[in-house]
């Protein structure tokens, strides 16, 4: 029997934006109105700077907009200046956690730290969004090995049930914030490759349950093509998620309505 296609997921990673809580609130109020049109056809997740989280979740009590955090530290409490834990994020209304974003990898986050973060989120009720992606595309296809290594190091040893709830975000680093995007054909090829890696690490049924997103300069112009021909379950959106009308158009592009 063919497995049911998961509900598409669009995640807005606000990174270190906007610059004030007042602006963040304005953006959520705009998105909340726009999201009414699309949910429950699409899951829409906003990932603001975590200092804004509690104020913003209060603005969307219906759960039409869900919220996430951009990073966590493994462990529940302790002497970790500047860090937040999974339970802290959860108690402030987060339901998703981005792990291993390339901007954090670039500032020194290691595969071991990413694996520990993945384990702590996967063991909680929050949904991990594990980011993978190559820095450059070489003609010999070495980028496949890069993605396989990132997946293997983060996920090896996880339980199948945890993996099934995991979201993988394929984000080629060269496409993030640059205006350059993967072609839909390249995205589809990578999606199939990720399925293959997960099947090797776990099994086919487990691999098929995992949602795979594409991220990297997704915008209102390229989203429909990338969704239809890229074979992904949605998007991780950076810059365009800060423009409510554009973000709503991206959400519309994965909606069946
Ligand atoms: P971008 O960022 O959409 O601005 O390229 C994507 C991301 O970093 O998640």
């Amino acid at each position: 029997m063919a497995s049911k296609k998961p509900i598409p997921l669009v995640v807005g990673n606000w990174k270190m934006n906007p610059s004030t809580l007042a602006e963040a609130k304005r953006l959520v109020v705009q998105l909340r109105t726009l999201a009414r049109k699309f949910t429950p056809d699409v899951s829409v997740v906003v990932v603001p700077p975590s200092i804004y989280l509690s104020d913003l979740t209060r603005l969307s009590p219906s759960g039409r907009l869900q919220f996430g955090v951009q990073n966590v530290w493994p462990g529940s409490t302790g002497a970790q200046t500047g860090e937040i834990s999974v339970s802290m994020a959860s108690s402030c209304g987060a339901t998703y956690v981005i792990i291993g974003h390339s901007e954090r990898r670039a500032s020194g986050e290691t595969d071991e730290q990413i694996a520990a973060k993945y384990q702590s989120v996967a063991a909680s009720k929050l949904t991990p969004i594990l980011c993978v992606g190559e820095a450059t595309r070489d003609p010999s296809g070495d980028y496949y090995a890069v993605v396989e290594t990132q997946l293997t190091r983060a996920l090896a040893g996880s339980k199948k049930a945890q993996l099934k709830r995991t979201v993988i975000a394929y984000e080629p680093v060269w496409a993030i914030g640059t205006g350059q995007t993967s072609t839909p054909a390249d995205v589809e090829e990578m999606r199939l490759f990720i399925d293959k890696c997960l099947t090797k690490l776990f099994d086919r049924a487990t691999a098929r349950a995992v949602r795979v997103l594409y991220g990297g300069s997704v915008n209102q112009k390229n989203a429909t093509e990338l969704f239809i021909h890229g074979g992904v379950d949605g998007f991780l959106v950076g810059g365009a998620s800060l423009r409510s009308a554009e973000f709503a158009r991206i959400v519309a592009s994965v909606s069946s309505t």
Side-chain angles (χ1 to χ4, degrees), residues 14-25 28 47-59 67 70 92:
W14 287 6
K15 309 189 181 186
M16 200 171 72
N17 295 291
S19 58
T20 65
L21 175 60
E23 285 175 75
K25 283 180 167 175
V28 163
V47 189
S50 48
I51 196 163
Y52 297 157
L53 190 63
S54 292
D55 286 277
L56 301 187
T57 53
R58 264 184 242 124
L59 294 176
F67 290 86
Q70 299 170 15
C92 292

Side-chain angles (χ1 to χ4, degrees), residues 180-223:
Q180 284 181 273
T181 350
S182 270
T183 63
D186 284 347
V187 172
E188 186 183 30
E189 211 166 27
M190 185 55 85
R191 203 257 140 93
L192 295 173
F193 180 73
I194 290 171
D195 284 350
K196 211 165 102 185
C197 295
L198 298 178
T199 302
K200 209 155 99 183
L201 282 171
F202 298 88
D203 56 43
R204 197 165 161 69
T206 308
R208 296 198 80 156
V210 176
R211 284 174 294 176
V212 178
L213 310 182
Y214 170 75
S217 296
V218 175
N219 59 39
Q220 60 190 1
K221 293 202 185 96
N222 58 27

Side-chain angles (χ1 to χ4, degrees), residues 5-6 15 18 30 32 54-56 67 70 77 92 112 136 147 155 157 159 167 188 213 227 229 239:
K5 243 192 141 350
K15 309 189 181 186
Q30 289 164 1
R32 186 181 64 185
S54 292
D55 286 277
L56 301 187
F67 290 86
Q70 299 170 15
T77 52
C92 292
E112 290 68 33
T136 53
V147 169
L155 301 173
K159 299 195 176 80
V167 177
E188 186 183 30
L213 310 182
F227 185 66
H229 301 295

Side-chain angles (χ1 to χ4, degrees), residues 149-160:
T149 303
Q150 289 173 336
L151 287 170
T152 307
R153 292 199 177 146
L155 301 173
S158 316
K159 299 195 176 80
K160 287 181 192 173

Side-chain angles (χ1 to χ4, degrees), residues 13 15 101 103 171 175-178 215-218 236-239:
N13 174 14
K15 309 189 181 186
H101 190 280
E103 285 153 14
E171 296 207 302
I176 295 178
T178 59
S217 296
V218 175
L236 179 52
V237 186

